[in-house]
C-alpha cells in the first residue's frame, strides 16, 4: 500500500510539473536574452482546448499526490503482513 501511494504521488508530481509549470505567456528565448515582453495574444480554439486539457491534467496530478499521501498514511495502520 505504501509503495502504491508513492507511485501515485510520483505520477501526480510528474503531471503537475509537465502541465502546470508550462502555463506562461513569455517568449522564453527572448526573456533569457533580456529582451522579453509579456504578450497575451488572442487564443485560437485549439489553444483554448489545449489549455483546458493542461489544467485538467495538472488537477489530476494534484489529486494523485493527495491520494498517494492518503494511501501512505493508511499503510501505516495496516497489520503487518504474514501474521
Amino acid at each position: 500500500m505504501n509503495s502504491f501511494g508513492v507511485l501515485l504521488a510520483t505520477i501526480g508530481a510528474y503531471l503537475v510539473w509537465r502541465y502546470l509549470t508550462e502555463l506562461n505567456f513569455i517568449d522564453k528565448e527572448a526573456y533569457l536574452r533580456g529582451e522579453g515582453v509579456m504578450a497575451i495574444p488572442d487564443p485560437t480554439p485549439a489553444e483554448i482546448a489545449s489549455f483546458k486539457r493542461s489544467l485538467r491534467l495538472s488537477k489530476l496530478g494534484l489529486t494523485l499526490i493527495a491520494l498517494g499521501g492518503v494511501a501512505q498514511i493508511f499503510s501505516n495502520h495496516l497489520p503487518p503482513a504474514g501474521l
Side-chain angles (χ1 to χ4, degrees):
M1 180 62 86
N2 190 43
S3 297
F4 179 68
V6 170
L7 179 65
L8 284 179
T10 301
I11 292 170
Y14 171 77
L15 288 173
V16 170
W17 169 78
R18 173 71 173 90
Y19 293 104
L20 192 60
T21 59
E22 289 298 317
L23 301 179
N24 59 55
F25 300 99
I26 63 169
D27 177 359
K28 292 176 189 163
E29 300 296 325
Y31 184 81
L32 292 174
R33 291 190 309 264
E35 305 168 350
V37 176
M38 187 168 82
I40 304 174
D42 291 334
T44 65
E47 290 172 330
I48 292 171
S50 175
F51 184 75
K52 286 181 179 180
R53 178 179 175 269
S54 292
L55 287 177
R56 279 193 309 273
L57 287 171
S58 65
K59 288 178 183 178
L60 173 63
L62 290 172
T63 302
L64 289 175
I65 291 170
L67 289 175
V70 168
Q72 290 177 57
I73 292 169
F74 181 73
S75 74
N76 291 329
H77 301 286
L78 294 176
L83 292 179

